Amino acid sequence: MWKKIYTPTLVNPWRTLSKHHSTSVSSAVDSILLRSLKDHYLEVSKMAPPPKISPPSAFTIIKGAIETNGPVLKRNYGEDEEITISVMRLANHNNNLNDDDQVNQLFLHVDVSRKGKEYSLNFLCGLYPDAMGIHSVSMGPKLQTNQFSADPSKYGGPIFHDLDEKAKDALHHYIEERGVNEDLFLFLQAWLYVKDHRNFMRWFKTVGSFISEQKSAGAAE
C-alpha cells in the first residue's frame, strides 16, 4: 500500500539536477556576455568623433540620410537636373593592405535625373582623397530615397572600361562639371564614420536588450 502511494511522487533526481545545472550555466554565460557588451559599449561611446566637416557648398545633406541606406547628398544643376549621391566603403579582402588603405577608398552611386523623366543616368565611382574614377555608367529608373542602386539584373549599358578614351574622358568631365570629384572625400569619410559609430552603438544596445530579455524570461520559468 505504501509503495502504491509514494511511487508516483518519485522524480528522476539526475534529470532535475541536470536541468538546474544547465540553467545556472546559461545564466552565468549571459551575465558574462552582458558585462562584455556593456564594457565595449562604454569604450566605443568614448571614441572622439572626427572634426565636423561640411560638404562642398553646392550640395546639401539629405534629411534623415544617416538612418537609411539611401542618398546622402543632393544638389540642383542647371534648370532641371538633380544630382544625388550615395556612399559606402569599398569591400577590401586583401590582407596586405593596412586599415588606412581601406578607409581611404569610398564607393559612390551618383544619380543624375531630370524633371519629367522616368529614367536617370547612374554612375558607380571609386572615390579617393586625391582622385575619382568611374567604374560604370548606366541608364535606369529613378531611384527611391531609400535605394542605393537600381536592379543589377537589368542591362544598363556597356562596361565602362570597354569605351574608347574620348568617351571616358567626356563622361569624367560630365560628372566633374556637376561637382562630383575628390572634394567630396573628406565630408563623406567623416559622415561614414559617424554613421558606422551610430550603427555600432545601436548594435550593442540591441544585442544587450535581447540577451537581457532572454535571461529574464529564463529566470521566470
Side-chain angles (χ1 to χ4, degrees):
M1 180 177 177
W2 290 108
K3 183 177 181 181
K4 185 177 181 179
I5 294 174
Y6 283 101
T7 299
T9 65
L10 293 177
V11 180
N12 186 338
W14 298 109
R15 183 178 300 172
T16 304
L17 180 60
S18 175
K19 182 180 180 180
H20 176 72
H21 177 72
S22 176
T23 302
S24 299
V25 171
S26 178
S27 179
V29 170
D30 289 351
S31 296
I32 293 171
L33 178 56
L34 286 171
R35 191 180 307 116
S36 177
L37 288 170
K38 182 178 180 180
D39 290 343
H40 281 82
Y41 177 87
L42 293 174
E43 182 179 348
V44 172
S45 67
K46 295 175 183 178
M47 294 173 63
K52 188 173 182 180
I53 300 173
S54 298
S57 58
F59 289 92
T60 58
I61 303 171
I62 296 175
K63 185 177 180 180
I66 204 163
E67 302 298 332
T68 71
N69 292 321
V72 177
L73 296 173
K74 67 178 181 179
R75 68 162 294 184
N76 294 323
Y77 182 82
E79 296 182 356
D80 64 348
E81 279 190 11
E82 183 180 70
I83 292 92
T84 59
I85 297 176
S86 304
V87 62
M88 64 182 293
R89 288 196 177 88
L90 282 171
N92 197 323
H93 303 291
N94 188 343
N95 293 327
N96 293 325
L97 297 178
N98 58 38
D99 292 339
D100 289 339
D101 291 323
Q102 296 181 21
V103 169
N104 287 337
Q105 301 179 65
L106 304 181
F107 185 61
L108 302 187
H109 179 279
V110 183
D111 184 82
V112 182
S113 62
R114 289 183 176 174
K115 294 178 182 178
K117 301 292 185 180
E118 295 182 359
Y119 283 76
S120 59
L121 189 58
N122 303 314
F123 292 80
L124 297 180
C125 306
L127 183 65
Y128 306 86
D130 56 355
M132 188 200 69
I134 298 174
H135 292 297
S136 68
V137 182
S138 62
M139 292 293 297
K142 286 185 179 179
L143 301 182
Q144 302 299 318
T145 55
N146 62 344
Q147 283 183 285
F148 182 78
S149 62
D151 184 355
S153 65
K154 295 181 179 180
Y155 177 77
I159 298 173
F160 185 77
H161 180 73
D162 292 342
L163 298 175
D164 63 44
E165 292 303 318
K166 287 185 178 180
K168 291 179 184 178
D169 290 343
L171 286 167
H172 271 104
H173 181 72
Y174 177 89
I175 200 170
E176 289 171 359
E177 183 71 18
R178 286 153 176 76
V180 183
N181 54 45
E182 60 269 22
D183 292 342
L184 293 167
F185 182 85
L186 290 178
F187 166 77
L188 291 174
Q189 183 189 50
W191 188 88
L192 273 178
Y193 177 92
V194 174
K195 181 179 178 68
D196 289 347
H197 186 269
R198 288 192 181 188
N199 287 336
F200 203 28
M201 298 288 284
R202 188 181 295 115
W203 181 86
F204 279 118
K205 284 185 176 181
T206 303
V207 175
S209 296
F210 180 85
I211 299 299
S212 295
E213 291 170 2
Q214 187 178 38
K215 183 178 179 181
S216 298
E221 293 180 355

